Amino acid sequence: MHFGPHLLLAALEGLVTSAVLALTALGLSLVFGVMRVVNVAHGEFFMLGAVLAWAISTAIGGHPALGFLAALVIAPLIVGAIALIAERLVLRRLNYNPEATIVATIGMLYIIQQLALTFYGPEARPVEPPFNYRILLPWFGYSGYKLSVVAASALLLIATWLVLTRTKAGLVMRATQYDSETAQAFGIPVGRVYGGVFALGAMLAAIAAVLIVPISQAHYLMGQDPLLLSFIVVIIGGLGSLRGTVVAAVLIGMSDGIISMFFSPTLAKIIATLLVAMVLVFRPQGLFGTASR
């Protein structure tokens, strides 16, 4: 292939990365924005979603689509329930203190990781995609499932935006994000909002993992890269900004796909890190964030 086909292939791969990264980073951004909690265990909720997807699809058997659809529904619910329990038992008892919650979520990271290693094992295990249709392009064929991941992610992002901007639950979350003390004075159950937001963030990460695991494989250490990239996206896009999260995820995902194709994945990570440093120096609130007063 010449330059054009290589560029198209790199752009398509970057688009898939962007779609999954946007969902994962959105969960982290919501927790950051509403709770002011740095959830270092966010990547492990991603990993847990992938591991549960493998377990559920393997247990159901039959046509791959049945197991995949079941995993897409059940795995995020289980991960959300685990996150809610962790929020009630750990973060709430620490009164959401920023320094204490960082240490606590680091502990949660190692607990979840070691439990996955104990019960799942160290092997990387594949999950069969629900379909294997390939779309014929002028120069090559491309996986229809990968494009469906992009479409599913876009639909979920739109649904999240509608919930945040057009529903009472979204209004409550935005009010709590703006001023939790005033929100509580007006009768908003801030503790319940925090628990729901923490569970929702974990569920978004789990959904992203279920979508990507047929392309990659489920492994107990697979949460590290999504966590790092999600932090990069949140810093660049702006704290609590849905638009900023999407734009930054597309920027990082596309650059990672194209630079990795023509140069090296290491160079892509270096450029992303430099971009974060520039944003922190020249616009600390992020591209679409609001400066604190």
Side-chain angles (χ1 to χ4, degrees), residues 15-162:
L15 194 60
V16 175
T17 302
S18 300
V20 175
L21 182 56
L23 279 181
T24 309
L26 178 59
L28 186 64
S29 180
L30 285 175
V31 173
F32 262 21
V34 177
M35 301 175 64
R36 299 297 189 266
V37 168
V38 180
N39 183 17
V40 184
H42 191 69
E44 303 316 304
F45 290 132
F46 178 93
M47 176 273 293
L48 198 56
V51 169
L52 287 172
W54 173 85
I56 293 168
S57 60
T58 302
I60 290 179
H63 193 279
L66 296 176
F68 178 81
L69 291 175
L72 193 57
V73 174
I74 298 173
L77 292 176
I78 295 176
V79 172
I82 293 172
L84 183 60
I85 293 171
E87 189 273 339
R88 295 294 172 92
L89 296 180
V90 180
L91 302 185
R92 182 171 297 190
R93 293 176 182 271
L94 296 174
N95 200 28
Y96 310 105
N97 178 272
E99 292 81 7
T101 52
I102 290 176
V103 177
T105 53
I106 291 174
M108 289 162 54
L109 181 156
Y110 285 113
I111 290 172
I112 296 172
Q113 192 178 96
Q114 291 305 310
L115 286 174
L117 175 61
T118 301
F119 293 102
Y120 174 77
E123 299 84 7
R125 300 172 183 174
V127 173
E128 193 171 353
F131 57 89
N132 291 304
Y133 180 75
R134 294 188 68 82
I135 297 176
L136 295 178
L137 299 175
W139 300 289
F140 52 83
Y142 194 74
S143 169
Y145 174 73
K146 289 185 177 182
L147 294 180
S148 73
V149 169
V150 177
S153 177
L155 290 174
L156 287 168
L157 290 171
I158 292 172
T160 304
W161 176 78
L162 290 174

Side-chain angles (χ1 to χ4, degrees), residues 274-291:
L274 289 175
L275 185 58
V276 168
M278 292 178 63
V279 169
L280 289 175
V281 170
F282 296 105
R283 191 173 173 83
Q285 71 270 28
L287 298 180
F288 295 92
T290 302

